[in-house]
Structures are given as structure tokens and as C-alpha cells.
Amino acid sequence: MQWNSWWLGLLCVVALTACGSGGAPATTPTRSTGAQVAASSPAARPTQPPPTEEARPLEATATQPQQEEPEPTNTPEQSQEPTAMPTLVPTQEPEPTATLEPTGTPKPRPTKEPTPTKEPETSAATRMTGVVRDAETGKAITGAWVYLGDEIARTNKAGRYRFARDAEAQRLTVMAAGYAKAELGARDAADGRVELRRFDARGVYLPFYTAMIPAQRERIFDLINDTALNAVVVDIKSDDGLVWDAEVPLAREIGATYDGFDLGEFVRQAHERDIYVIGRFTVFKDTKLATNRPQWAIQSSEGGLWTDDTKNRYTDPFDERAWEYYADLAVEAAELGVDEIQWDYVRFPVDGDLNTLRVDGEYNEESRINQITEFLAYTERRLRPSKVYISADIFGLTVWHTRENYLGQRLERVAQHIDYVSPMLYPSGFNAGSGGYDVPPAHPYGLIKQSLEKTYPRIEGMPVRVRPWLQAFHDYAWGIPYEVPQEVAQRKASEDMDTSGWLFWNPAAKYDPDSFVANP
């Protein structure tokens, strides 16, 4: 019995030893980590941060159905839409994750992760998307500017836009060349859809000094309200450099402000009568600034400041201090309610002895074009947050060929940074033989039509519209009277070419109402 007990005890020890080991390896097992759990369990969330909105494909959920059209990001893709200004398009921030915490502050691991279905719902709630279309045709509008709070986006070829923020209690403003501005509550836009209605500005020019005379102002406002006109082009910076009673410090310092011109009151009166206000802003032709800041001006190789044939002085397009001054004034004008800023004399001078002209940079075709383009790019960045339309006047001959003729204006480059391009297609400005006509002013319809036919192919696909300047003054080259028949012929050519309106120029603001009847 003793032997049997000893033997049975030995057998139990062997058995218990075998049961406790379970075939485990001899080395000590490591602790389970989140990474290991993720690898072994498909339901677990990976520890690395999720990709940003730009990189992550949209996920189809019950609250965010899959769209047939591609949704854009705030930064337009080069292949899908016109070039946008990187500084204006807000970069979407990545979703908050543990990796966004400062490296010196350890982030405790959450004891419970949210269920996988929560993430797309949160993403959809903080992103507002939509599409902008033509109210009449239903077609998508490319290159529309969409404002939500202090963020700015631009539509792609499918007319779509997107914001990476909640749209609750925000105002949505949408603008596009050729359309009236739309303002509505973000939640009022069903599914983010916005419809814009076409707007063609049909206007006349009102000079700086005439605009501040109440009787003359009323005369032009009555003309607009009693005819097919709906817009006025008023000088907000004159050819000699004077401006309204602006608050910009430099304008006051150099004596450029004119206290007799209350721009805010002018705009208020015009808007009361449903008149669209275009502020004509003479840029580099600026005797006032050049005289008071000679170091910013174009110099003469013969000493002193360069002047043109009529003794006007110009600021140097290479001097960016002048750019800032002009942008400051334009932003203030926009804040006063001006609907559109129209750049004029946005070019190098050509009337005078160019052999003696000296600027602070290379003076050749490429540099001149680049400098004018850069000025327009800079002022666009400054003006877009003000929700104002932007246009530019260019020489009529600029649309006929690509040579810049010392101006620095090339149609395709100018059009990149504006909403409307206004070639000055005054028939009297064309030389004999232009358009195949020995006397061009005698053929107003044909000359305007040919000019526009040459314009459109060069800006095809760009979100810019054409609105020409037309002639409302007597021909000074051949002595041909320009009256109602000639003015109506120009207007008809413009309308037949489907321009976004037209503008008539008379330096004394004298116009015949018969030129602007509804159906001439």
C-alpha cells in the first residue's frame, strides 16, 4: 500500500504539471496592444489618424447619398475648373485625432471608441455641399464664387462647391459673371442648390465732376429708369487721381480726396432706383499720386518724372506700394456699396516719348504683361472677400491680335482675374483697313461684330464675360456724326453676339434716349 500510494502520488504530480503548461512557449508572452487588436479584429479602429477630406473619398451613407457628379473641394482642381487664388480658398482642416495633440502632452487612450457608423454622420454634418445652376437653363455654372461666413469656395465644371463646416445660421452669398448676386440663408438652399438669374448691365458713363452735381445726377438716373438702361458707370477715381471723400489715410495725406463727392450717398440713391453701380477706377494714370510720391512714379531719362503728350504723370506699375494704395481705395468703395470695380488705364502708358520712359524693372513685352497680370491678381485677392464684381477696360485692338503694343495687356491674361472684360470698341479708334473697311466708323455694326467674334475664342472656357464699351460721341477721325442710328447699330451688334450687356461712353454724359429704347 505504501508503494502504491507513493506511485499514485508521483503520477498525480506528472499529470498536474502537464495540465498547467498547456503547450505554452518557453518565452514570456508580450502584452496585447491596440495595433495587435486592430490586426486581429476587423471591427476595431486603426490608431493612425484618418486621411484629410481632400484625400479621403466620400462615403455613401443614409445622410449623404452618393452623387453622380463629382463633389469639389474648396481648392479647385486644375483639370476641372478655372484657376482659383490659393489664398482665398480656405484649406480644409483635418478631423481632430489623438495625433493632433502637442507632442509634449500625452493623450490618454479612450476607454470606448465610437461605433464605426458615427464617423460619416459627423463628417456630413460639418460639411456643406451644393450646386449652382442657371435659373433658366438649369445648366451648371462654372467658376461661381460662393461665400459662407468668412470662407470662400468656387464651383467646378459640374457647378459644385463644398465647405468643411456646419452651415447652421450662416448666410450664403453666390456670385458669377453674367448673373445677379444671390444672397440667402444657407439652410434656405434646398440640398445646397442655388439658382442664379442672368444679369446684363446696360449702362452709360457719368464723369467724376458731373456725378456730384445733383441736377446732372438726377438727369442720368431718370434716363436710366425711363429706358432699357439699368446701370451707371461713375468715376470713383478720376484721370488726374482724385477720389471721393475717402477715409484711406494716404488719399487724405496727398490731397486726393474730394469732399464734395459722397460716394456712399450716391450709391444709396442709385440703389433706391434699382440702378447697378459700376465704379470706374483709373489706375496708373495718376498725376496726384505721382507728384506727391515721385519715387513711386515712372521716371524720365532726361530727369524728373515722365509725362505723356498731355502732361499727365503715371505711377510705376512695378511699384507695389501704389498697388496697395489702389486696393485700399477699391476695398473702401466696395464697402460703400459699389456693385462693381472697373479698372481703367490698367496698363503702361503709350502716349508720349517711350524712349525716355524709365521704370523700376525690365521694360519688355513679357515683363509688361506679367506686371499688369500680377497687379490684377493682387487686387483680386484683396477684393474678393468684399463680394464685389471686378472688371477691366482694355484697348479695342487688343482683341484683334496677341501683340501687347507696349500696353502690357493680353486678353487671355487679363481675363484670368476679373469677371467682365470691356474692350473699348470705339469705331473711331480703328485705322483705315480694319475689318476690311476703308472708313471703319462708317460700319459700326460690322466692326463691333467682327471684334467680338475675335474675342470669344480666346477666352473660351473661362468664367469671364464680355461687355464692350461703345461709342456715343462724334467721330474725330473722319468727321462722321455719331447719332442714334450709329449707336443703335453698335448696340445691336453687341446683343446679336450675346454679350453680357454694353456700355456707352460720352465724356460729357450727353445721351439721346432714343438710343436706349427697349426694342430699337
Side-chain angles (χ1 to χ4, degrees), residues 82-83 141-145 154 176-179 340 376 380 384 389-392 394 410-423 455-467 498-500:
T83 303
I141 299 176
T142 302
W145 296 95
R154 206 171 190 190
Y179 295 90
E340 178 179 324
L376 291 170
E380 182 184 26
R384 287 301 179 192
Y389 290 95
I390 308 171
S391 60
I394 62 174
R410 178 165 289 163
L411 174 60
E412 296 86 347
R413 300 285 297 278
V414 170
Q416 292 175 355
H417 303 291
I418 58 177
D419 300 301
Y420 298 96
V421 59
S422 291
T455 303
Y456 283 120
R458 293 176 58 184
I459 58 173
E460 185 175 1
M462 300 176 68
V464 63
R465 296 297 179 93
V466 182
R467 188 203 297 138
D498 197 31
T499 60
S500 287

Side-chain angles (χ1 to χ4, degrees), residues 504-515:
F504 274 90
W505 176 279
N506 181 280
K510 295 181 178 179
Y511 305 98
D512 192 323
D514 290 341
S515 295

Side-chain angles (χ1 to χ4, degrees), residues 227-398:
T227 62
L229 295 167
N230 60 12
V232 61
V233 183
V234 60
D235 282 333
I236 59 174
K237 181 172 177 289
S238 68
D239 290 4
D240 51 6
L242 293 180
V243 299
W244 69 100
D245 55 346
E247 296 296 331
V248 173
L250 180 56
R252 291 192 169 276
E253 180 183 338
I254 65 176
T257 58
Y258 196 93
D259 292 337
F261 186 16
D262 185 340
L263 181 58
E265 179 61 18
F266 179 95
V267 172
R268 187 191 65 78
Q269 293 180 16
H271 285 173
E272 281 184 350
R273 302 180 68 162
D274 294 325
I275 296 173
Y276 182 81
V277 179
I278 302 172
R280 175 179 175 263
F281 192 113
T282 301
V283 185
F284 297 115
K285 183 181 180 182
D286 192 340
T287 296
K288 178 63 72 173
L289 182 61
T291 301
N292 287 273
R293 291 292 185 274
Q295 66 274 29
W296 300 6
I298 293 178
Q299 307 293 315
S300 171
S301 62
E302 298 176 348
L305 301 184
W306 186 90
T307 59
D308 63 14
D309 292 338
T310 53
K311 303 304 178 183
N312 294 297
R313 294 173 174 176
Y314 290 72
T315 49
D316 188 346
F318 284 92
D319 198 312
E320 296 183 6
R321 292 171 295 184
W323 296 11
E324 183 177 3
Y325 170 63
Y326 297 146
D328 288 345
L329 286 169
V331 168
E332 183 177 323
E335 292 173 350
L336 290 172
V338 171
D339 298 296
E340 178 179 324
I341 300 296
Q342 183 185 80
W343 303 120
D344 201 0
Y345 283 87
V346 59
R347 60 175 176 82
F348 285 78
V350 293
D351 302 319
D353 185 1
L354 302 186
N355 292 320
T356 63
L357 181 152
R358 296 293 180 269
V359 293
D360 189 20
E362 293 292 328
Y363 186 70
N364 55 51
E365 181 176 46
E366 181 180 1
S367 65
R368 287 190 297 267
I369 291 173
N370 287 340
Q371 207 61 21
I372 296 304
T373 304
E374 285 301 315
F375 168 79
L376 291 170
Y378 167 75
T379 51
E380 182 184 26
R381 289 192 295 271
R382 291 286 308 276
L383 283 170
R384 287 301 179 192
S386 299
K387 304 176 186 178
V388 64
Y389 290 95
I390 308 171
S391 60
D393 301 338
I394 62 174
F395 267 31
L397 291 176
T398 302

Side-chain angles (χ1 to χ4, degrees), residues 69 77 217 267 363 454:
E69 297 172 327
E77 296 183 8
R217 181 187 306 181
V267 172
Y363 186 70
K454 293 181 178 296

